[in-house]
Amino acid sequence: MSQEIAIGLSKNARLAYGLDDVAIVPSRRTRDPQDVSTSWQVDAYGFDIPVLSAPMDSVTSPATAIAMGKLGGLGVLDLEGLWTRYEDPAPELERIASAQPDDAVSLIQKIYTEPIKEDLIVQRLHEIREAGVTVAGALSPQRTQEFYSTVLEAGVDLFVIRGTAVSAEHVSKDHEPLNLKKFIYDLDVPVIVGGAADYTAALHLMRTGAAGVLVGFGGGAVSATRSTIGLHAPLATAISDVAEARRDYLDESGGRYVQVIADGEMGTSGAVVKALALGADAVMLGAPLARSTQAPGQGMHWGAEARHETLPRGFRSQVGTVASLHEILFGPSHQPDGKTNFIGALRRAMASTGYVDLKSFQKCRMAVSPSHLL
Amino acid sequence: MSQEIAIGLSKNARLAYGLDDVAIVPSRRTRDPQDVSTSWQVDAYGFDIPVLSAPMDSVTSPATAIAMGKLGGLGVLDLEGLWTRYEDPAPELERIASAQPDDAVSLIQKIYTEPIKEDLIVQRLHEIREAGVTVAGALSPQRTQEFYSTVLEAGVDLFVIRGTAVSAEHVSKDHEPLNLKKFIYDLDVPVIVGGAADYTAALHLMRTGAAGVLVGFGGGAVSATRSTIGLHAPLATAISDVAEARRDYLDESGGRYVQVIADGEMGTSGAVVKALALGADAVMLGAPLARSTQAPGQGMHWGAEARHETLPRGFRSQVGTVASLHEILFGPSHQPDGKTNFIGALRRAMASTGYVDLKSFQKCRMAVSPSHLL
Amino acid sequence: MSQEIAIGLSKNARLAYGLDDVAIVPSRRTRDPQDVSTSWQVDAYGFDIPVLSAPMDSVTSPATAIAMGKLGGLGVLDLEGLWTRYEDPAPELERIASAQPDDAVSLIQKIYTEPIKEDLIVQRLHEIREAGVTVAGALSPQRTQEFYSTVLEAGVDLFVIRGTAVSAEHVSKDHEPLNLKKFIYDLDVPVIVGGAADYTAALHLMRTGAAGVLVGFGGGAVSATRSTIGLHAPLATAISDVAEARRDYLDESGGRYVQVIADGEMGTSGAVVKALALGADAVMLGAPLARSTQAPGQGMHWGAEARHETLPRGFRSQVGTVASLHEILFGPSHQPDGKTNFIGALRRAMASTGYVDLKSFQKCRMAVSPSHLL
Amino acid sequence: MSQEIAIGLSKNARLAYGLDDVAIVPSRRTRDPQDVSTSWQVDAYGFDIPVLSAPMDSVTSPATAIAMGKLGGLGVLDLEGLWTRYEDPAPELERIASAQPDDAVSLIQKIYTEPIKEDLIVQRLHEIREAGVTVAGALSPQRTQEFYSTVLEAGVDLFVIRGTAVSAEHVSKDHEPLNLKKFIYDLDVPVIVGGAADYTAALHLMRTGAAGVLVGFGGGAVSATRSTIGLHAPLATAISDVAEARRDYLDESGGRYVQVIADGEMGTSGAVVKALALGADAVMLGAPLARSTQAPGQGMHWGAEARHETLPRGFRSQVGTVASLHEILFGPSHQPDGKTNFIGALRRAMASTGYVDLKSFQKCRMAVSPSHLL
């Protein structure tokens, strides 16, 4: 079904759509919002809501990871972020939040040169564990080999490997790259890995044994991969492609259902609803949660891409503070701007199209409106 | 004729157009504007102009409903609005009009918690009846069972059931939902019901016995359904689809012609003209009439979507005050901004394309200009 | 070759392009700019440049009509404008130029209620005649019968009938409409008539015996037909369609070549070049000439559409004053904004694509760049 | 594979894409950035990076040409620019940099009327030669015959003939045009010639014996060819077309590989990456290098198109000063705006898609995202 166009005589391209480009079309059946289920499960872990907080220092601290868990979702802590580099990251968070726009990335580059401490990894994960919620921590593929044993010893329920482009076939001249398949096979805990942005990359990641695949590549609120390195994978198309890989892998594996988790480019509740309608099983949110009163970013938002010492591919963005984490997820909402009551919006959308659970909601009909293609 | 594109490997979408995307193309015949007819009829009720005022508190009061009737159109009063909640809604209208933008939705949520009074329903409808015009009142599907007998006893000529997405097959676990087919069959007065935004939903509503179907879903000036819950049905495509349902139902029913009424997304006279050209028999107007000097909204405009207690999906918008209701409908116009002389514009468009009445005008040729797709 | 899309199940539309949407593609041959010819001829009248000044009071006065003629083009005077309503239109021009934006259309409506005087028609045409240039005057189709004999007696070389939508088959209940075919047959002078915006309308106008057809409908700088009455015919597509009608009519008539004159929507020299490349034999310019230091509009620009007493469909726009008429047509240019040296630009474009005259230039290759579709 | 659409009944057009319209899609393999090669070679001259500085006075002085060479690229001096017209161009550069925006083009027109001195051509080229880097100078096709012998005597390694549209078949009535084929055949040094913007023009230029072809036509940061003369060739499509010509010419010539050099429209590192992915072997940069602290333009940028005495088709643009030439090419970067560390970005993009050298990178997959088509 994919659509090819010719850029020129020697190069074809795929037409690819972002979440803003698409919309859900109401159909003939409706339902009461309270009758729908938003529950989600990965491996043995069940959640009331299909929401993971992104492992970004502006979003997830041990405290907000715990809060996410108590609210029915999953908080994922960045194990290469400020909480594992600094005993007390508060002053650094304060400096980043208050930096002038032009100085922010330089400052971030500098602050993140502080080495990661293994004891802080242990300490942060224990803190979350003690609160009685599901524990999840994220490493980049580059540093997984260095820190994973520390992470495992500290204890996590779900292990997340997250980079901008993660492939199952990384090639290196200098060092033996992480063999994802072997690594995941050896591990006792389920692994969520990504971002992947197309069918093939996702299928290969699924074949490594991952429990979930993150879908995304540089589409988030603080990403600049399109302008800096020319790469971009619009999320609506990426989700739909990876959902197809999930279906094909389900068949080829004889029944292993890999969770597809949309990651990035979802600034509003409407965008989250569309990501789920397109085939995602859950969403990993950055900017929406960075807007909470509890967010460590204090109204500012940035990601791991901004840290790179010579080629930062993300910026610090002011997203503002709009409501408590509870109100952002469950309302009540007092502004129709899609920034609060994400789960209420999801329930309403499912009810308006007549679906009872997230899996069946993936069947809903969609439209592309050319006049909204910007 | 509908056009499918592939969002990704697992999801197709329909290409859907809004009114701004399309334009009418002049053809080889022209005519004098005074020679065309703009008359419209639903059931036994005839109107000089194909215009209904939307049941929104910023647009339709008992007084403006009467004014609409005297001018040849139809005023539809919201029977769940301020006029049935407050003996004197003037102070509440004043508060909403003068609220700060950021506070407006909260205030609307609060003001509309005041219960609906059955005696006020009766009183408002009697007031319109006494003026000698056609009487029409609107309820939401959720509260139709609670109030319809009061409405019928008070006496209406046309009964309107209006929600954002109204289906003929609502499902609920808690309560027995409104059985539209039985309800309409039992009723003595003709029913106009909607919004519906696609062929199937509209066809099912037509099969309930409705005299008219409202076409629309969240496209109006004060709607935020796209950003909040991800649903959107661009109106040009929706009208054309529902017009096809009208034709098929006409055949299957052996001759019952259901009126198709475009609802929302028509801010200018040009948009009204296009809605009628696309197949609508009449239009229900909000923003254009909220701009009249008589409008209860005093230059502000809001709809029922803004009232929701936990998930408002509409906002209060400043539309300004431009002219009297008479000038908005019949001119003279002194600005070429499409905000006055809607009927004059319709006559001129029909004359420039050579059609004599609204039904034949639905045959006119149209163009989509990619450079206007925003 | 025309492209249809489905707006919805019951309505198709044509994809139509404006001049901004398209561009000329350079090809393998180039040429010296001084080697190309820009000459143009209609009936017995030859011109060095394919440019007519629009019959708009902000553009063409008797003086600028004479100037146009002396510069190798053709000035067309509006015979229903201020010069035939007022002995001395200077004060009225001054009032329009200095009116506040919101008052301008009301003022124009009022000023143009002054009746047209037949003796002023005669006087203005004589004034142009005496200067030794080709004389052309324009009437609207509505008033052609009333004034044409006066115009003929006063003496014109070319007679222009110009309205927003002019058809060969106007229908009226009240009066016998102008029979264009008989009228043109009886007339001794060649007639240029329009606007027409599609193949059929243009073909019918060609069959009336017209020497030239104006192509356009509401696309100009001061037009509001799209927002007011919903009609629009993007000019690139319209020119190409009418050029096809010219070819078919050339065949059916056994060799009568009707001049296709693009009218409106050409604000820059680049747009003029594209109009000619698309198949126009000449262009009728408004805004570009309204920017001359000699223009009667004094930096303001408006058309006949703004005069309508109850439904103005055009506005007064500030276009500014940039250079003398000579510099606008022939340069030298000191800003690369496409507002001066229109003929130099045309020569350069023809040279860069290797064509020697306007007729062969109509063969040049074009591109539509989606990223410029706004 | 090329896509035709119908503008109207008599004219088709090609759909053509700019660099902003396209993006590179990550695929299943990744690689370490330090493992990729960015080397490039034309004729006998090898370069570490595939970057030429544009022969524009705001970009390339003898000093920056030398700096480019030392950094692994190629500096190309405009031999008709200020350095060959003025013994000391510093005061003129200063005047252009400090001119008011509205006066800049007039001033440029005036300053460039100063005649070109042959002894300065010699002097500037010697200066570059003495620094030990590859020497390249550019002439326009119009003046190549006048100055080429001086250039050859002074000594260049690579001879560049650069105009907006250069064809292998220029036609002139007044003079014998430059016979490119004979000229290049007779010359001892390799010639890079362009701009060409389509398959045929490029194929003809390749047949003249050119070592490289510049791809581009009026798409750069300071070009106004689209608005002034209506010509435009979006660069993504142009590069892909010329790359196809390269492949066909490789076959027809029995193995001569002509370098395809993208020229213009590349303001960010992301755009450079895309140009190379589309099939360019190297890029010629203007604006990105005009932003260096060493750039002679001092934060202002203009090209040869702005000099034309009667029809300037380019303007002077403020691009600002962001970093040293070294940082622009190799970083480190402290802003994620695509204005620094172009080579680092290229390495990262190649690594993220798994390619080891520039030639194989031309195979990478791409997407067109309708929502980025502006």
Side-chain angles (χ1 to χ4, degrees):
Chain A
M1 285 192 284
S2 116
Q3 287 173 300
E4 292 279 310
I5 57 125
I7 299 178
L9 294 170
S10 66
K11 196 78 167 182
N12 275 5
R14 171 87 175 283
L15 280 177
Y17 299 87
L19 291 177
D20 286 350
D21 303 342
V22 306
I24 295 166
V25 179
S27 56
R28 77 170 200 270
R29 187 174 291 114
T30 51
R31 196 174 286 279
D32 284 354
Q34 64 270 26
D35 291 354
V36 311
S37 162
T38 63
S39 70
W40 174 64
Q41 177 147 350
V42 56
D43 205 274
Y45 302 92
F47 302 93
D48 292 340
I49 61 174
V51 180
L52 298 82
S53 75
M56 301 168 87
D57 283 342
S58 50
V59 175
T60 310
S61 61
T64 62
I66 293 166
M68 279 298 295
K70 303 236 182 235
L71 290 168
L74 175 65
V76 183
L77 189 70
D78 182 0
L79 300 177
E80 298 175 23
L82 297 176
W83 272 271
T84 59
R85 294 178 195 260
Y86 292 89
E87 184 71 43
D88 176 13
E92 314 308 321
L93 286 166
E94 180 59 37
R95 286 171 68 201
I96 294 173
S98 59
Q100 291 301 307
D102 281 355
D103 304 334
V105 170
S106 294
L107 181 66
I108 286 170
Q109 289 175 315
K110 196 173 151 202
I111 286 176
Y112 283 86
T113 55
E114 179 69 21
I116 297 165
K117 281 91 181 169
E118 302 203 341
D119 61 325
L120 286 177
I121 292 181
V122 176
Q123 183 183 320
R124 302 313 183 192
L125 291 173
H126 282 189
E127 187 179 343
I128 299 172
R129 167 78 63 202
E130 278 155 25
V133 301
T134 308
V135 181
L139 289 174
S140 67
Q142 289 77 20
R143 310 196 76 170
T144 292
Q145 283 183 316
E146 186 178 353
F147 294 115
Y148 84 90
S149 54
T150 303
V151 174
L152 291 182
E153 280 161 36
V156 287
D157 298 316
L158 290 159
F159 193 103
V160 177
I161 302 177
R162 184 179 185 248
T164 42
V166 174
S167 80
E169 300 176 50
H170 188 78
V171 181
S172 175
K173 289 182 183 165
D174 296 354
H175 57 94
E176 183 69 25
L178 179 68
N179 183 327
L180 262 182
K181 192 161 188 172
K182 185 174 182 316
F183 176 80
I184 289 175
Y185 183 84
D186 291 346
L187 224 59
D188 270 347
V189 300
V191 175
I192 293 170
V193 63
D198 80 336
Y199 174 91
T200 310
L203 187 64
H204 283 250
L205 287 180
M206 289 171 182
R207 287 174 180 161
T208 63
V213 170
L214 298 170
V215 183
F217 184 86
V222 292
S223 170
T225 56
R226 189 174 174 107
S227 59
T228 54
I229 62 168
L231 275 72
H232 185 63
L235 198 59
T237 295
I239 293 170
S240 172
D241 283 3
V242 176
E244 184 74 1
R246 179 184 59 204
R247 180 153 48 187
D248 287 351
Y249 179 68
L250 187 67
D251 183 63
E252 103 179 18
S253 67
R256 238 179 53 81
Y257 187 93
V258 180
Q259 301 298 318
V260 172
I261 301 164
D263 180 5
E265 206 181 313
M266 293 169 289
T268 61
S269 50
V272 165
V273 170
K274 294 185 224 171
L276 295 166
L278 283 158
D281 298 294
V283 295
M284 179 174 268
L285 299 184
L289 305 181
R291 295 190 203 109
S292 89
T293 47
Q294 296 109 297
Q298 304 169 46
M300 293 294 178
H301 184 41
W302 65 94
E305 290 166 332
R307 298 176 203 164
H308 195 280
E309 288 172 37
T310 58
L311 188 69
R313 298 177 300 282
F315 40 89
R316 187 207 62 177
S317 173
Q318 179 159 17
V319 294
T321 299
V322 304
S324 70
L325 191 57
H326 187 280
E327 285 171 303
I328 286 172
L329 290 172
F330 301 107
S333 175
H334 302 295
Q335 296 287 355
D337 55 8
K339 294 185 179 172
T340 48
N341 203 355
F342 277 65
I343 300 304
L346 173 59
R347 287 182 171 279
R348 170 69 48 178
M350 293 169 74
S352 292
T353 50
Y355 295 100
V356 287
D357 56 30
L358 291 173
K359 190 64 207 169
S360 61
F361 186 53
Q362 294 173 3
K363 291 181 199 153
C364 81
R365 288 171 45 218
M366 304 198 78
V368 167
S369 175
S371 58
H372 282 87
L373 286 182
L374 261 222
Chain B
M1 286 191 285
S2 116
Q3 287 173 300
E4 292 280 310
I5 56 127
I7 298 178
L9 293 170
S10 66
K11 196 79 165 182
N12 275 3
R14 172 87 176 285
L15 280 176
Y17 299 86
L19 291 177
D20 285 350
D21 303 342
V22 305
I24 296 165
V25 179
S27 56
R28 75 170 201 270
R29 188 174 289 114
T30 51
R31 196 174 287 279
D32 285 353
Q34 64 271 25
D35 291 354
V36 311
S37 163
T38 63
S39 70
W40 174 64
Q41 178 148 350
V42 55
D43 205 273
Y45 302 92
F47 303 93
D48 291 341
I49 61 174
V51 180
L52 298 81
S53 75
M56 301 167 87
D57 283 342
S58 51
V59 174
T60 310
S61 61
T64 63
I66 292 165
M68 279 298 294
K70 303 236 182 236
L71 289 168
L74 175 64
V76 182
L77 189 69
D78 181 1
L79 300 177
E80 298 174 23
L82 296 176
W83 273 272
T84 59
R85 294 177 195 260
Y86 292 90
E87 183 71 42
D88 176 13
E92 314 308 322
L93 286 165
E94 180 60 37
R95 287 170 68 199
I96 295 172
S98 59
Q100 291 301 306
D102 281 355
D103 304 334
V105 169
S106 294
L107 181 66
I108 285 170
Q109 289 174 316
K110 195 172 150 202
I111 286 176
Y112 283 86
T113 55
E114 179 70 22
I116 297 165
K117 281 92 181 169
E118 302 202 341
D119 61 326
L120 285 177
I121 293 179
V122 176
Q123 183 182 321
R124 303 312 182 192
L125 292 172
H126 281 188
E127 187 179 343
I128 299 171
R129 167 78 62 203
E130 277 156 25
V133 300
T134 307
V135 181
L139 289 174
S140 67
Q142 290 77 19
R143 310 195 75 170
T144 292
Q145 282 183 316
E146 185 179 353
F147 294 115
Y148 84 89
S149 54
T150 304
V151 174
L152 290 182
E153 279 161 37
V156 286
D157 298 316
L158 290 160
F159 194 102
V160 177
I161 301 176
R162 184 180 187 247
T164 42
V166 174
S167 80
E169 299 176 53
H170 188 78
V171 182
S172 175
K173 289 182 180 163
D174 296 354
H175 58 95
E176 182 70 26
L178 179 67
N179 182 327
L180 261 183
K181 191 160 187 173
K182 184 173 182 317
F183 177 79
I184 289 175
Y185 183 83
D186 290 347
L187 224 58
D188 270 346
V189 299
V191 175
I192 293 171
V193 63
D198 80 336
Y199 175 89
T200 310
L203 187 63
H204 282 251
L205 287 180
M206 289 172 182
R207 287 175 180 161
T208 64
V213 170
L214 298 170
V215 184
F217 184 86
V222 291
S223 171
T225 55
R226 189 175 173 105
S227 59
T228 54
I229 61 168
L231 274 72
H232 185 63
L235 198 58
T237 295
I239 293 170
S240 173
D241 283 2
V242 176
E244 184 74 2
R246 179 184 59 204
R247 180 153 47 188
D248 287 351
Y249 179 68
L250 187 67
D251 183 63
E252 104 178 20
S253 68
R256 237 180 54 80
Y257 187 94
V258 180
Q259 301 298 318
V260 172
I261 301 164
D263 180 5
E265 206 181 313
M266 292 168 289
T268 61
S269 51
V272 165
V273 170
K274 293 185 226 172
L276 294 166
L278 283 158
D281 298 294
V283 295
M284 178 173 269
L285 298 184
L289 305 181
R291 294 191 204 109
S292 90
T293 47
Q294 295 109 299
Q298 304 169 46
M300 292 294 178
H301 185 41
W302 65 95
E305 290 165 330
R307 297 177 203 163
H308 196 280
E309 287 172 37
T310 57
L311 188 70
R313 298 178 300 282
F315 41 89
R316 186 207 63 176
S317 173
Q318 180 158 17
V319 295
T321 299
V322 303
S324 70
L325 191 56
H326 186 280
E327 286 171 303
I328 286 171
L329 290 172
F330 301 107
S333 174
H334 302 295
Q335 297 286 357
D337 55 7
K339 294 185 180 172
T340 48
N341 203 356
F342 277 65
I343 300 304
L346 174 58
R347 287 182 171 279
R348 170 68 49 177
M350 293 170 73
S352 292
T353 50
Y355 296 100
V356 287
D357 56 30
L358 291 173
K359 189 64 207 170
S360 60
F361 186 53
Q362 294 174 2
K363 291 180 199 154
C364 81
R365 288 170 46 217
M366 305 198 77
V368 167
S369 175
S371 58
H372 282 87
L373 286 182
L374 261 221
Chain C
M1 285 191 285
S2 116
Q3 287 173 298
E4 292 280 310
I5 56 127
I7 298 178
L9 294 170
S10 66
K11 196 79 166 183
N12 275 5
R14 172 88 175 285
L15 281 177
Y17 300 86
L19 291 177
D20 285 350
D21 304 342
V22 305
I24 295 165
V25 180
S27 56
R28 76 170 200 269
R29 188 175 289 114
T30 50
R31 197 175 286 279
D32 285 353
Q34 64 271 25
D35 290 355
V36 310
S37 162
T38 63
S39 70
W40 174 63
Q41 178 148 349
V42 54
D43 204 274
Y45 302 92
F47 303 92
D48 292 341
I49 61 173
V51 180
L52 298 80
S53 74
M56 301 168 88
D57 284 342
S58 52
V59 174
T60 310
S61 62
T64 62
I66 293 165
M68 280 297 296
K70 303 237 183 236
L71 290 168
L74 176 64
V76 183
L77 189 69
D78 181 359
L79 299 177
E80 298 174 24
L82 295 177
W83 272 272
T84 60
R85 295 177 195 260
Y86 292 89
E87 184 71 41
D88 176 13
E92 313 308 321
L93 286 166
E94 180 59 37
R95 287 172 66 200
I96 294 172
S98 58
Q100 292 301 307
D102 281 354
D103 304 334
V105 169
S106 294
L107 182 66
I108 285 169
Q109 289 175 315
K110 195 172 152 203
I111 286 176
Y112 283 86
T113 56
E114 178 70 22
I116 297 164
K117 281 93 181 169
E118 302 202 342
D119 61 325
L120 286 177
I121 293 179
V122 175
Q123 183 183 319
R124 303 312 183 193
L125 291 172
H126 281 189
E127 187 179 343
I128 299 171
R129 169 76 64 201
E130 278 155 24
V133 300
T134 308
V135 181
L139 289 174
S140 67
Q142 289 78 18
R143 309 196 76 171
T144 293
Q145 283 183 314
E146 185 179 352
F147 293 115
Y148 84 90
S149 54
T150 303
V151 175
L152 290 182
E153 280 162 35
V156 286
D157 298 317
L158 290 160
F159 194 102
V160 177
I161 301 176
R162 183 180 187 247
T164 43
V166 174
S167 81
E169 299 177 52
H170 188 78
V171 182
S172 174
K173 288 183 182 163
D174 295 355
H175 58 94
E176 181 70 25
L178 179 68
N179 182 327
L180 260 183
K181 191 161 187 174
K182 185 173 182 315
F183 176 80
I184 289 175
Y185 183 83
D186 291 346
L187 224 57
D188 271 346
V189 299
V191 175
I192 293 170
V193 63
D198 81 336
Y199 174 89
T200 310
L203 187 63
H204 282 252
L205 286 181
M206 289 172 183
R207 287 175 180 162
T208 64
V213 170
L214 298 169
V215 183
F217 184 86
V222 291
S223 171
T225 56
R226 188 173 174 107
S227 58
T228 53
I229 62 169
L231 275 73
H232 185 62
L235 198 58
T237 295
I239 293 170
S240 173
D241 283 1
V242 176
E244 183 74 1
R246 179 184 58 202
R247 180 153 48 190
D248 287 350
Y249 179 68
L250 186 67
D251 183 62
E252 106 179 17
S253 68
R256 238 179 55 80
Y257 187 93
V258 181
Q259 302 297 318
V260 172
I261 302 164
D263 181 5
E265 206 181 315
M266 293 169 288
T268 61
S269 51
V272 165
V273 170
K274 294 186 224 170
L276 295 166
L278 283 158
D281 299 294
V283 294
M284 179 173 269
L285 299 183
L289 305 181
R291 295 191 203 109
S292 90
T293 47
Q294 295 109 297
Q298 304 169 47
M300 292 294 179
H301 185 40
W302 65 95
E305 290 165 331
R307 296 177 204 164
H308 195 279
E309 288 172 37
T310 57
L311 188 69
R313 298 177 300 282
F315 41 88
R316 187 207 61 175
S317 173
Q318 180 158 16
V319 294
T321 299
V322 304
S324 71
L325 191 57
H326 187 279
E327 285 171 301
I328 286 171
L329 290 172
F330 301 106
S333 174
H334 301 296
Q335 297 286 357
D337 56 7
K339 294 186 179 171
T340 49
N341 203 357
F342 277 65
I343 301 304
L346 174 59
R347 287 182 171 280
R348 170 67 50 179
M350 293 169 73
S352 292
T353 49
Y355 296 101
V356 287
D357 56 30
L358 291 173
K359 190 64 208 171
S360 60
F361 186 52
Q362 294 173 2
K363 290 180 199 154
C364 80
R365 288 171 45 219
M366 304 198 78
V368 166
S369 175
S371 58
H372 282 87
L373 285 183
L374 260 223
Chain D
M1 285 191 285
S2 115
Q3 287 173 299
E4 292 280 310
I5 56 127
I7 299 178
L9 294 170
S10 66
K11 196 80 167 182
N12 275 4
R14 171 88 176 283
L15 280 177
Y17 299 86
L19 291 177
D20 286 349
D21 304 342
V22 306
I24 295 166
V25 179
S27 57
R28 77 170 200 270
R29 187 175 290 116
T30 50
R31 197 174 286 280
D32 285 353
Q34 64 271 27
D35 290 354
V36 310
S37 162
T38 63
S39 70
W40 174 64
Q41 177 148 349
V42 56
D43 204 274
Y45 303 93
F47 302 93
D48 292 341
I49 61 173
V51 180
L52 297 81
S53 74
M56 301 168 86
D57 284 341
S58 51
V59 174
T60 310
S61 61
T64 62
I66 293 165
M68 279 297 296
K70 303 237 184 234
L71 290 168
L74 175 65
V76 183
L77 189 71
D78 181 0
L79 300 177
E80 298 175 22
L82 296 176
W83 272 272
T84 60
R85 294 178 195 259
Y86 291 90
E87 184 71 42
D88 176 13
E92 313 308 321
L93 287 166
E94 180 59 39
R95 286 172 67 199
I96 295 172
S98 59
Q100 292 301 308
D102 281 355
D103 303 334
V105 169
S106 294
L107 181 66
I108 285 170
Q109 289 176 315
K110 196 172 150 202
I111 285 176
Y112 283 86
T113 56
E114 178 70 21
I116 297 164
K117 281 92 181 171
E118 303 201 341
D119 61 325
L120 286 177
I121 293 180
V122 176
Q123 184 183 320
R124 302 313 182 192
L125 291 173
H126 281 190
E127 188 179 344
I128 299 171
R129 168 77 63 201
E130 278 154 25
V133 300
T134 308
V135 181
L139 289 174
S140 67
Q142 289 78 18
R143 311 195 75 172
T144 292
Q145 282 182 315
E146 187 179 352
F147 294 115
Y148 85 90
S149 54
T150 303
V151 174
L152 291 183
E153 279 162 36
V156 287
D157 299 316
L158 290 159
F159 193 102
V160 177
I161 300 176
R162 184 181 186 245
T164 41
V166 173
S167 80
E169 298 177 51
H170 188 78
V171 182
S172 175
K173 288 182 181 164
D174 296 354
H175 57 94
E176 182 70 24
L178 180 67
N179 183 326
L180 261 183
K181 191 160 188 174
K182 184 173 181 316
F183 176 80
I184 290 174
Y185 184 83
D186 291 347
L187 224 56
D188 270 345
V189 299
V191 175
I192 293 170
V193 62
D198 81 337
Y199 174 90
T200 310
L203 187 63
H204 282 252
L205 287 181
M206 289 172 182
R207 287 174 180 161
T208 63
V213 170
L214 298 169
V215 184
F217 185 87
V222 292
S223 171
T225 56
R226 189 174 174 107
S227 59
T228 54
I229 62 168
L231 275 72
H232 185 64
L235 198 59
T237 295
I239 293 170
S240 173
D241 283 3
V242 176
E244 183 74 2
R246 179 184 59 203
R247 180 153 49 188
D248 287 351
Y249 179 68
L250 186 67
D251 182 63
E252 106 180 17
S253 67
R256 237 179 54 81
Y257 187 94
V258 181
Q259 302 298 320
V260 172
I261 302 164
D263 181 5
E265 206 181 314
M266 293 168 289
T268 61
S269 50
V272 165
V273 171
K274 294 185 224 170
L276 294 166
L278 284 157
D281 299 293
V283 295
M284 179 173 269
L285 298 183
L289 305 181
R291 295 190 203 110
S292 90
T293 48
Q294 296 109 297
Q298 304 170 46
M300 293 293 178
H301 185 40
W302 66 95
E305 291 165 331
R307 298 176 202 163
H308 195 279
E309 288 172 36
T310 58
L311 187 70
R313 298 178 299 283
F315 40 90
R316 187 207 62 177
S317 173
Q318 180 159 16
V319 295
T321 299
V322 304
S324 70
L325 191 56
H326 187 280
E327 285 170 303
I328 286 171
L329 291 172
F330 302 106
S333 176
H334 301 296
Q335 297 287 356
D337 56 7
K339 294 185 179 172
T340 47
N341 202 356
F342 277 65
I343 300 305
L346 174 58
R347 287 182 172 279
R348 170 70 48 178
M350 293 170 73
S352 293
T353 49
Y355 295 100
V356 288
D357 57 29
L358 291 173
K359 190 64 208 169
S360 61
F361 186 53
Q362 294 173 3
K363 290 181 200 153
C364 80
R365 288 170 46 218
M366 304 198 78
V368 167
S369 175
S371 58
H372 282 86
L373 285 183
L374 260 222

